[in-house]
mmCIF file of all heavy atoms in Angstrom:
data_model
loop_
_atom_site.group_PDB
_atom_site.id
_atom_site.type_symbol
_atom_site.label_atom_id
_atom_site.label_comp_id
_atom_site.label_asym_id
_atom_site.label_seq_id
_atom_site.Cartn_x
_atom_site.Cartn_y
_atom_site.Cartn_z
ATOM 1 N N ARG A 4 3.569 -26.197 -13.006
ATOM 2 C CA ARG A 4 3.509 -26.104 -11.523
ATOM 3 C C ARG A 4 4.229 -27.250 -10.889
ATOM 4 O O ARG A 4 4.256 -28.351 -11.406
ATOM 5 C CB ARG A 4 2.056 -26.036 -11.069
ATOM 6 C CG ARG A 4 1.395 -24.733 -11.524
ATOM 7 C CD ARG A 4 0.006 -24.654 -10.953
ATOM 8 N NE ARG A 4 -0.879 -25.497 -11.757
ATOM 9 C CZ ARG A 4 -2.198 -25.650 -11.514
ATOM 10 N NH1 ARG A 4 -2.707 -25.015 -10.504
ATOM 11 N NH2 ARG A 4 -2.881 -26.404 -12.252
ATOM 12 N N LYS A 5 4.770 -26.935 -9.670
ATOM 13 C CA LYS A 5 5.468 -27.993 -8.943
ATOM 14 C C LYS A 5 4.441 -28.749 -8.079
ATOM 15 O O LYS A 5 3.354 -28.265 -7.765
ATOM 16 C CB LYS A 5 6.548 -27.357 -8.050
ATOM 17 C CG LYS A 5 7.588 -26.563 -8.865
ATOM 18 C CD LYS A 5 8.421 -25.736 -7.973
ATOM 19 C CE LYS A 5 8.043 -24.283 -8.232
ATOM 20 N NZ LYS A 5 8.632 -23.262 -7.502
ATOM 21 N N GLU A 6 4.871 -29.897 -7.572
ATOM 22 C CA GLU A 6 4.012 -30.672 -6.693
ATOM 23 C C GLU A 6 4.072 -30.088 -5.303
ATOM 24 O O GLU A 6 5.168 -29.745 -4.780
ATOM 25 C CB GLU A 6 4.422 -32.139 -6.660
ATOM 26 C CG GLU A 6 4.017 -32.871 -7.972
ATOM 27 C CD GLU A 6 2.548 -32.850 -8.237
ATOM 28 O OE1 GLU A 6 1.717 -33.086 -7.309
ATOM 29 O OE2 GLU A 6 2.178 -32.603 -9.381
ATOM 30 N N PHE A 7 2.925 -29.973 -4.664
ATOM 31 C CA PHE A 7 2.848 -29.462 -3.322
ATOM 32 C C PHE A 7 3.425 -30.480 -2.275
ATOM 33 O O PHE A 7 3.165 -31.695 -2.428
ATOM 34 C CB PHE A 7 1.391 -29.150 -2.964
ATOM 35 C CG PHE A 7 1.242 -28.764 -1.505
ATOM 36 C CD1 PHE A 7 1.553 -27.532 -1.073
ATOM 37 C CD2 PHE A 7 0.725 -29.647 -0.575
ATOM 38 C CE1 PHE A 7 1.423 -27.133 0.221
ATOM 39 C CE2 PHE A 7 0.598 -29.308 0.738
ATOM 40 C CZ PHE A 7 0.896 -28.070 1.146
ATOM 41 N N SER A 8 4.147 -29.978 -1.344
ATOM 42 C CA SER A 8 4.575 -30.780 -0.197
ATOM 43 C C SER A 8 4.749 -29.874 0.985
ATOM 44 O O SER A 8 4.750 -28.666 0.880
ATOM 45 C CB SER A 8 5.953 -31.482 -0.503
ATOM 46 O OG SER A 8 6.974 -30.492 -0.578
ATOM 47 N N SER A 9 4.812 -30.437 2.141
ATOM 48 C CA SER A 9 4.967 -29.689 3.384
ATOM 49 C C SER A 9 6.267 -28.908 3.349
ATOM 50 O O SER A 9 6.303 -27.739 3.771
ATOM 51 C CB SER A 9 4.925 -30.576 4.595
ATOM 52 O OG SER A 9 5.052 -29.860 5.753
ATOM 53 N N ALA A 10 7.360 -29.511 2.865
ATOM 54 C CA ALA A 10 8.646 -28.796 2.808
ATOM 55 C C ALA A 10 8.596 -27.633 1.831
ATOM 56 O O ALA A 10 9.121 -26.569 2.165
ATOM 57 C CB ALA A 10 9.723 -29.800 2.352
ATOM 58 N N ALA A 11 7.887 -27.800 0.693
ATOM 59 C CA ALA A 11 7.733 -26.702 -0.251
ATOM 60 C C ALA A 11 6.905 -25.603 0.404
ATOM 61 O O ALA A 11 7.218 -24.397 0.191
ATOM 62 C CB ALA A 11 7.053 -27.181 -1.487
ATOM 63 N N SER A 12 5.957 -25.919 1.203
ATOM 64 C CA SER A 12 5.158 -24.901 1.902
ATOM 65 C C SER A 12 6.031 -24.111 2.842
ATOM 66 O O SER A 12 5.961 -22.886 2.915
ATOM 67 C CB SER A 12 3.966 -25.577 2.622
ATOM 68 O OG SER A 12 3.279 -24.619 3.354
ATOM 69 N N TRP A 13 6.799 -24.827 3.673
ATOM 70 C CA TRP A 13 7.621 -24.112 4.628
ATOM 71 C C TRP A 13 8.705 -23.255 3.935
ATOM 72 O O TRP A 13 8.928 -22.108 4.343
ATOM 73 C CB TRP A 13 8.324 -25.119 5.554
ATOM 74 C CG TRP A 13 7.447 -25.605 6.655
ATOM 75 C CD1 TRP A 13 6.827 -26.823 6.715
ATOM 76 C CD2 TRP A 13 7.066 -24.887 7.861
ATOM 77 N NE1 TRP A 13 6.061 -26.871 7.891
ATOM 78 C CE2 TRP A 13 6.218 -25.755 8.616
ATOM 79 C CE3 TRP A 13 7.404 -23.643 8.382
ATOM 80 C CZ2 TRP A 13 5.690 -25.359 9.821
ATOM 81 C CZ3 TRP A 13 6.872 -23.247 9.589
ATOM 82 C CH2 TRP A 13 6.016 -24.131 10.315
ATOM 83 N N ASN A 14 9.313 -23.822 2.855
ATOM 84 C CA ASN A 14 10.346 -23.035 2.175
ATOM 85 C C ASN A 14 9.804 -21.831 1.517
ATOM 86 O O ASN A 14 10.378 -20.734 1.602
ATOM 87 C CB ASN A 14 11.028 -23.932 1.156
ATOM 88 C CG ASN A 14 11.900 -24.985 1.745
ATOM 89 O OD1 ASN A 14 12.317 -24.906 2.933
ATOM 90 N ND2 ASN A 14 12.145 -26.029 0.970
ATOM 91 N N SER A 15 8.660 -21.985 0.845
ATOM 92 C CA SER A 15 7.998 -20.889 0.177
ATOM 93 C C SER A 15 7.534 -19.859 1.203
ATOM 94 O O SER A 15 7.644 -18.644 0.958
ATOM 95 C CB SER A 15 6.833 -21.359 -0.641
ATOM 96 O OG SER A 15 6.306 -20.319 -1.394
ATOM 97 N N ALA A 16 7.052 -20.302 2.306
ATOM 98 C CA ALA A 16 6.540 -19.370 3.375
ATOM 99 C C ALA A 16 7.715 -18.574 3.960
ATOM 100 O O ALA A 16 7.558 -17.383 4.330
ATOM 101 C CB ALA A 16 5.830 -20.108 4.480
ATOM 102 N N ALA A 17 8.878 -19.182 4.073
ATOM 103 C CA ALA A 17 10.058 -18.469 4.626
ATOM 104 C C ALA A 17 10.479 -17.339 3.653
ATOM 105 O O ALA A 17 10.708 -16.230 4.112
ATOM 106 C CB ALA A 17 11.235 -19.426 4.862
ATOM 107 N N VAL A 18 10.512 -17.648 2.389
ATOM 108 C CA VAL A 18 10.863 -16.620 1.387
ATOM 109 C C VAL A 18 9.780 -15.512 1.321
ATOM 110 O O VAL A 18 10.110 -14.324 1.332
ATOM 111 C CB VAL A 18 11.048 -17.258 -0.021
ATOM 112 C CG1 VAL A 18 11.228 -16.202 -1.067
ATOM 113 C CG2 VAL A 18 12.256 -18.214 0.031
ATOM 114 N N ALA A 19 8.527 -15.948 1.370
ATOM 115 C CA ALA A 19 7.420 -14.964 1.322
ATOM 116 C C ALA A 19 7.409 -14.111 2.598
ATOM 117 O O ALA A 19 7.182 -12.915 2.512
ATOM 118 C CB ALA A 19 6.067 -15.679 1.167
#
Side-chain angles (χ1 to χ4, degrees):
R4 291 186 282 179
K5 301 168 250 177
E6 286 302 314
F7 173 77
S8 69
S9 179
S12 174
W13 280 103
N14 291 339
S15 184
V18 172

